Amino acid sequence: MNTPNPGAERRPNPETQPENRPRIYVASLSDYNAGRLHGTWLDATADADEMNDGITTMLAASPEPNAEEWAIHDYEGWGPLRLPEYESIDTIARLADGIATHGLAFAHWAALVGTDADELDRFDDAYLGHWPSVEDYARDYLDDCGLDRIIEEHVPDSLQPYVTVDVDGFARDLEYSGDITASEGDDGVYLYANY
């Protein structure tokens, strides 16, 4: 079966909202171990050098002498993506750039495939859009295939009322077969083709 990729325009979706700007809170581990919270929020869409400068400035302002180690203690705007405490700043910058460019659809993608650069690069080819449900996607896909037209042209009028397509079953099989992957979020599903 060919992986479905309907030609219909994607539905408007929530992933383009400006409040989805990812940021991280980095904290000094020396201060944390001394029972003090000392850190700063960084805009993760900044380039890696700029974020590293922010970390260096935060550590230099620490009341603990020789503060040099840091960790990510909080984050916002990453959707379902979970960041480890010691994720590299280069990876953070790459992920945040993807979210800034593509919205939360990219965060859902990264949550599914991980942080491997080759996998992340497949986003543009894999992303099928944000849909109310997998069934809605399957229905639109069948419509784009011209199924109604085929039935009208090839099935006698007297039999057409009896011809139905199991859209729910088709949607279920798209997922079970591995043709598509769904990630729930924002009152619907983000869908990705598996190539």
Side-chain angles (χ1 to χ4, degrees):
M1 170 186 270
N2 289 337
T3 304
N5 191 358
E9 191 171 317
R10 294 184 181 141
R11 306 224 187 295
N13 45 57
E15 69 262 18
T16 58
Q17 300 302 314
E19 63 269 9
N20 292 333
R21 197 163 179 87
R23 60 189 199 137
I24 58 173
Y25 182 82
V26 292
S28 161
L29 292 180
S30 298
D31 289 271
Y32 180 78
N33 291 334
R36 180 182 313 107
L37 183 60
H38 176 76
T40 190
W41 281 99
L42 298 174
D43 178 356
T45 62
D47 67 33
D49 289 339
E50 194 174 327
M51 282 191 281
N52 280 320
D53 289 346
I55 293 169
T56 300
T57 300
M58 178 272 297
L59 291 171
S62 169
E64 286 295 314
N66 303 318
E68 354 180 282
E69 295 180 334
W70 58 272
I72 299 169
H73 281 190
D74 202 359
Y75 48 90
E76 295 177 347
W78 297 86
L81 188 57
R82 300 294 164 241
L83 300 177
E85 285 185 311
Y86 302 105
E87 187 62 78
S88 79
I89 291 298
D90 288 334
T91 300
I92 293 290
R94 178 175 175 74
L95 292 168
D97 181 59
I99 294 170
T101 302
H102 303 288
L104 287 179
F106 190 85
H108 281 261
W109 174 248
L112 291 169
V113 302
T115 59
D116 178 71
D118 290 337
E119 288 297 311
L120 293 173
D121 286 345
R122 290 188 327 104
F123 173 82
D124 285 328
D125 293 329
Y127 185 50
L128 299 172
H130 185 266
W131 298 82
S133 68
V134 177
E135 292 77 17
D136 287 314
Y137 170 79
R139 190 172 295 103
D140 280 3
Y141 177 74
L142 292 170
D143 287 346
D144 288 347
C145 288
L147 188 60
D148 289 338
R149 179 188 47 76
I150 292 168
I151 291 170
E152 286 176 14
E153 290 176 4
H154 299 286
V155 176
D157 292 344
S158 61
L159 294 178
Q160 286 181 18
Y162 304 103
V163 176
T164 60
V165 175
D166 182 3
V167 175
D168 291 347
F170 177 60
R172 186 178 52 250
D173 288 348
L174 285 173
E175 283 193 275
Y176 288 169
S177 68
D179 286 340
I180 64 171
T181 299
S183 180
E184 291 185 18
D186 302 310
D187 297 322
V189 290
Y190 293 93
L191 293 178
Y192 307 91
N194 296 322
Y195 296 110

